[in-house]
Amino acid sequence: MLKSFFTYLLATVAACLLAVTAWLFSPKEYAAQVKISDEYKETDFAVGLNRFNVALRDRDPNAKNKSQNDIRIYAKILDDASFAKELSKIEKVDVEHVQEHLLYNLNVTQHTLDIQYTARDPKMAACVLDSVLAKLQRRIWKYRGVRAGGDIENAEKAVAVAEEELDSARSHYVAYAGSHYDAVAPNVLFSLDSLKAEIRTKEYSRTRAYDNLVRQQGMSKKMPSAFLVVKNNSVPQESTTPLVGYLGVFITLALLLVKGIKLLRERIKEGDIRISFGNLFAPWNITILVWAAILILLQFVGDLVYPVTSKFYMALGLWLPIFCVSSFLTFTLLGVKHQQRMTSPSFHLNINLFQLLLFLSLLTTPLCVKKVLEIVTMFGTEDLMANLRLLTVKGQTGLGVLSYSFVINKALLIAAVWKFPKIPRWQFILVIILSLLTSFVIMDKGTIFFLFSTVIFVLYEKKHLRLRSLILMGLVLSAIFFVLTIMRSGTAVDGSNNLDDLTFLQFFAIYVLTTPVAFCYLTPTIGAQYGSYTLTLFYLMVNKLGGNFPITEQVQEFVWVPLPTNLYTIMQPFYMDFGYGGIAFFALIYGVMCGWAYNKYKNGSSVACALYTFLLYYLILQFGQESLFMLPIIALQTVFFIFILTKDFRIKFSK
């Protein structure tokens, strides 16, 4: 034991020395950053438009300058190849160099754009970023200058039309009132009132036309303020490659390498190196099947979405082989000493604790439903499903301790499905009902998919499910998701359903084919916070101790490809935080973790059996979104309840 400790200690020290050496000799890059905001909205308020009128105008499909007020236009300018070409001529660098080192992060909610330029010389980075802002400013001036003249001309025409219509309305009233001067008949009085109302309407239209003209004239005079600089550019003092990243990677690789060598020597010494590729649900097999299905579908029905770029194929080329090889090697090197099929009798379950948690869930889950329904029904029942989902997305449920019922129900579901029929049938049915209620509360298809994936996996492992039944259950699940998506879509402004025209093929494309395309639109995160997407758990812990780090939002922004999606594959947080290197490293971490859980499960561990059932949900949905690192609290809470339900805590006293 002491020898192993010193071996790992020596490996850690050596890894630290190598990490420091690599960090010292690696080229350092410095990032100059600036944050800008669209000042056109501020101009709207300055010339008399309130927020409500601005919002109404932006929703108007006939608005003349709607696109000018969108911060996404700024991002599109930065993406334009001609912009990079013009900048390269000024700074006398290659176009590819500019495109590689000029990054941005767009926040549509806050209407801000973070722009970053990296270079090995910090002063050069700051100077080039100044050139970027100046070039962006001139591009916007030119664009708005051309539009301003046309907008003023259109506004003047609208004023002339409004004046003409008002004069016509007044003339009609004067003529009718003069010819019916002494009339007291009800129909005549009604006509007079109608003509007066028409005059008031035309006067209001003329006022709006004049307001718009004043606004357009104000815009033309305010051209120099194309955007507002929220955070000024400054010369960066620290490089973008912190030492902590090198230390984390080198130490992790060193410890895994030492452990792998020790396991290999043990297997050789025992003469027990068994090569087994597992069944359909082995982590490497399910990963290959998932991504093979995605690639095949992109070939046959890929015309429903935009083309996939080399960025996705590069990322998948790192993720797929590293995950599969690391999970397979971990499973093989750990060895399967007495591989057996997990059955209901062999699956250990703490029955007393199971019944206690079931009782608590039976109390808390209906209370969750009641509390959430009380909130959403305050706004009516017409869009009940859509409001339920909106409440969950905004995180304003206010459930507090009651929210623990969500993770408890997941743990209960895994335990109940594995132990059935060794638990009473009514308890099994009750667990299923509580899981469905949880899904209803948050309007989440993921909970239903978790239920189906758990049942399918357990039935398959118990040899109760054939391939034909597996396909049939998949079709039923797809139909349920399609109906649920329509139900929670809500009502549009015109009273129609937002997704009334959604076909099943489009629905399928939204959740399956759009994610690889959406990944191609990702840009690495820029900012001072290291690993903001991946290291969420660390920042949550630091904040509990008094820190003040911003936590990444759970629900990501939508992108249109051209179908809408806010899912970016399992590789999203790793790429946004650490680039392609992050994808490779966390593919290794994921592979080792899943390979270990699958090995322990095959060795008869009830804890690992339940844990791998939980992990399998994330493996199947790896084409969608990453949740273990981005939502660590939910994952850890579920693992905790799984552990206490399936771990044998019996204490043995020896004589």
Side-chain angles (χ1 to χ4, degrees):
M1 182 69 180
L2 189 61
K3 183 178 179 181
S4 297
F5 171 76
F6 280 111
T7 302
Y8 288 116
L9 180 61
L10 181 62
T12 302
V13 172
C16 291
L17 293 176
L18 288 174
V20 172
T21 304
W23 179 74
L24 290 174
F25 286 95
S26 63
K28 301 294 187 299
E29 288 196 339
Y30 297 85
Q33 299 174 1
V34 68
K35 182 190 289 289
I36 64 174
S37 177
D38 183 19
E39 183 149 280
Y40 243 54
K41 291 186 180 296
E42 301 299 327
T43 308
D44 287 337
F45 306 146
V47 297
L49 291 178
N50 57 35
R51 294 182 180 274
F52 180 73
N53 289 334
V54 170
L56 286 179
R57 189 208 59 227
D58 288 345
R59 291 175 64 90
D60 182 6
N62 298 318
K64 300 296 183 183
N65 65 332
K66 179 174 60 175
S67 61
Q68 298 184 57
N69 293 15
D70 196 340
I71 192 68
R72 286 172 290 195
I73 297 296
Y74 294 45
K76 290 182 179 180
I77 293 175
L78 295 178
D79 282 333
D80 191 5
S82 63
F83 183 84
K85 187 175 181 179
E86 294 174 6
L87 189 64
S88 66
K89 292 180 180 179
I90 297 175
E91 302 300 329
K92 297 181 180 180
V93 293
D94 296 334
V95 176
E96 293 76 12
H97 184 275
V98 173
Q99 292 176 332
E100 180 181 354
H101 292 79
L102 180 59
L103 303 174
Y104 67 84
N105 282 159
L106 177 65
N107 191 318
V108 179
T109 304
Q110 299 179 1
H111 301 286
T112 59
L113 184 68
D114 294 282
I115 307 175
Q116 171 182 289
Y117 191 86
T118 57
R120 295 186 181 181
D121 184 355
K123 293 183 179 180
M124 179 181 178
C127 291
V128 174
L129 186 57
D130 284 337
S131 299
V132 170
L133 290 180
K135 193 67 181 174
L136 182 62
Q137 185 85 278
R138 285 193 294 270
R139 180 73 70 93
I140 296 171
W141 288 347
K142 182 179 179 181
Y143 172 74
R144 287 180 174 168
V146 173
R147 292 292 299 271
D151 290 339
I152 292 176
E153 183 180 351
N154 292 334
E156 290 174 345
K157 291 180 180 178
V159 169
V161 171
E163 289 280 8
E164 183 179 349
E165 291 178 349
L166 178 59
D167 291 340
S168 176
R170 286 172 174 172
S171 299
H172 288 155
Y173 175 78
V174 171
Y176 190 83
S179 61
H180 298 78
Y181 180 76
D182 296 327
V184 293
N187 61 331
V188 175
L189 296 177
F190 177 79
S191 298
L192 288 172
D193 290 338
S194 299
L195 290 173
K196 290 180 182 179
E198 185 180 0
I199 291 175
R200 289 193 294 269
T201 302
K202 298 302 181 182
E203 288 177 343
Y204 177 71
S205 298
R206 184 190 61 174
T207 302
R208 290 193 59 183
Y210 270 112
D211 288 343
N212 186 47
L213 176 59
V214 173
R215 176 178 176 274
Q216 298 299 338
Q217 291 172 343
M219 291 293 189
S220 64
K221 296 177 181 179
K222 202 171 169 39
M223 279 300 153
S225 300
F227 52 74
L228 176 69
V229 178
V230 180
K231 175 185 175 183
N232 288 319
N233 180 22
S234 61
V235 178
Q237 302 298 321
E238 298 180 359
S239 68
T240 58
T241 53
L243 177 60
V244 64
Y246 281 84
L247 289 173
V249 171
F250 275 79
I251 292 174
T252 302
L253 293 178
L255 295 178
L256 289 177
L257 180 61
V258 171
K259 183 64 176 179
I261 293 175
K262 288 173 64 70
L263 290 174
L264 179 60
R265 292 178 63 183
E266 290 178 7
R267 299 286 81 78
I268 294 176
K269 184 177 180 180
E270 296 173 358
D272 185 28
I273 301 181
R274 302 179 184 178
I275 304 297
S276 173
F277 293 100
N279 60 14
L280 174 66
F281 289 99
W284 51 89
N285 289 335
I286 195 67
T287 298
I288 292 174
L289 288 174
V290 166
W291 289 114
I294 297 296
L295 294 176
I296 291 173
L297 288 171
L298 284 173
Q299 293 298 319
F300 286 96
V301 291
D303 55 340
L304 292 172
V305 294
Y306 293 150
V308 178
T309 66
S310 59
K311 179 188 289 188
F312 169 73
Y313 293 115
M314 178 69 177
L316 186 60
L318 291 171
W319 175 269
L320 188 59
I322 294 176
F323 175 87
C324 293
V325 171
S326 60
S327 60
F328 177 76
L329 286 179
T330 302
F331 173 80
T332 303
L333 292 177
L334 286 173
V336 181
K337 301 185 184 304
H338 50 277
Q339 183 169 347
Q340 60 181 12
R341 180 166 57 90
M342 184 66 69
T343 60
S344 298
S346 61
F347 182 82
H348 177 266
L349 177 64
N350 190 323
I351 295 297
N352 293 330
L353 187 57
F354 174 83
Q355 292 176 346
L356 174 62
L357 291 178
L358 181 59
F359 176 73
L360 292 176
S361 178
L362 188 59
L363 292 178
T364 56
T365 303
L367 289 177
C368 286
V369 177
K370 178 177 179 294
K371 188 168 185 178
V372 172
L373 286 179
E374 286 177 350
I375 297 175
V376 297
T377 51
M378 293 171 57
F379 307 98
T381 59
E382 183 178 358
D383 290 330
L384 178 64
M385 303 297 183
N387 291 336
L388 282 171
R389 183 57 180 169
L390 182 62
L391 187 69
T392 303
V393 169
K394 297 299 182 181
Q396 303 296 325
T397 55
L399 294 177
V401 180
L402 295 177
S403 61
Y404 281 99
S405 62
F406 299 155
V407 293
I408 291 176
N409 287 337
K410 284 187 177 181
L412 289 175
L413 176 65
I414 294 175
V417 174
W418 270 111
K419 198 62 180 177
F420 186 78
K422 294 300 181 180
I423 61 172
R425 185 182 298 273
W426 68 269
Q427 292 183 4
F428 177 76
I429 296 175
L430 185 58
V431 169
I432 299 294
I433 294 174
L434 291 174
S435 297
L436 292 175
L437 282 176
T438 300
S439 176
F440 171 76
V441 167
I442 60 179
M443 272 292 110
D444 181 30
K445 296 185 290 295
T447 306
I448 298 179
F449 187 87
F450 180 79
L451 190 155
F452 269 79
S453 64
T454 300
V455 172
I456 290 172
F457 173 62
V458 174
L459 291 178
Y460 184 86
E461 291 293 299
K462 290 182 177 182
K463 308 299 181 182
H464 296 325
L465 187 66
R466 296 181 179 180
L467 183 60
R468 181 179 59 185
S469 302
L470 188 64
I471 296 174
L472 181 60
M473 292 184 71
L475 294 176
V476 172
L477 183 62
S478 300
I480 293 175
F481 283 175
F482 179 65
V483 173
L484 187 61
T485 300
I486 298 295
M487 291 175 63
R488 78 177 195 182
S489 62
T491 304
V493 178
D494 59 359
S496 63
N497 192 291
N498 288 331
L499 295 178
D500 266 346
D501 298 329
L502 182 71
T503 65
F504 182 80
L505 190 59
Q506 289 175 330
F507 158 79
F508 184 77
I510 286 176
Y511 287 96
V512 177
L513 300 181
T514 56
T515 55
V517 184
F519 179 86
C520 301
Y521 286 78
L522 294 176
T523 55
T525 304
I526 60 178
Q529 187 166 316
Y530 184 73
S532 58
Y533 283 87
T534 308
L535 305 179
T536 304
L537 179 61
F538 170 77
Y539 290 115
L540 286 171
M541 295 172 61
V542 173
N543 287 349
K544 288 293 184 181
L545 299 176
N548 188 27
F549 290 97
I551 304 301
T552 305
E553 295 182 2
Q554 299 178 5
V555 181
Q556 304 300 303
E557 293 181 352
F558 277 85
V559 63
W560 294 78
V561 294
L563 298 172
T565 183
N566 62 342
L567 305 177
Y568 299 86
T569 77
I570 195 174
M571 301 175 286
Q572 176 213 355
F574 315 132
Y575 175 77
M576 295 189 70
D577 282 340
F578 312 111
Y580 292 116
I583 293 177
F585 179 75
F586 283 95
L588 175 67
I589 299 300
Y590 251 94
V592 171
M593 178 174 57
C594 294
W596 173 85
Y598 188 66
N599 175 274
K600 297 303 179 184
Y601 156 55
K602 287 300 181 181
N603 273 309
S605 169
S606 297
V607 176
C609 174
L611 178 60
Y612 186 71
T613 306
F614 173 67
L615 290 175
L616 186 66
Y617 165 76
Y618 297 100
L619 290 180
I620 296 175
L621 291 183
Q622 60 184 287
F623 65 88
Q625 189 72 12
E626 205 286 326
S627 299
L628 283 180
F629 285 90
M630 294 186 67
L631 302 174
I633 298 301
I634 295 177
L636 288 177
Q637 289 173 349
T638 307
V639 170
F640 170 76
F641 285 111
I642 287 174
F643 180 80
I644 63 175
L645 276 173
T646 56
K647 182 66 177 176
D648 189 355
F649 289 102
R650 290 176 297 181
I651 302 176
K652 297 180 180 180
F653 295 93
S654 58
K655 294 182 180 181

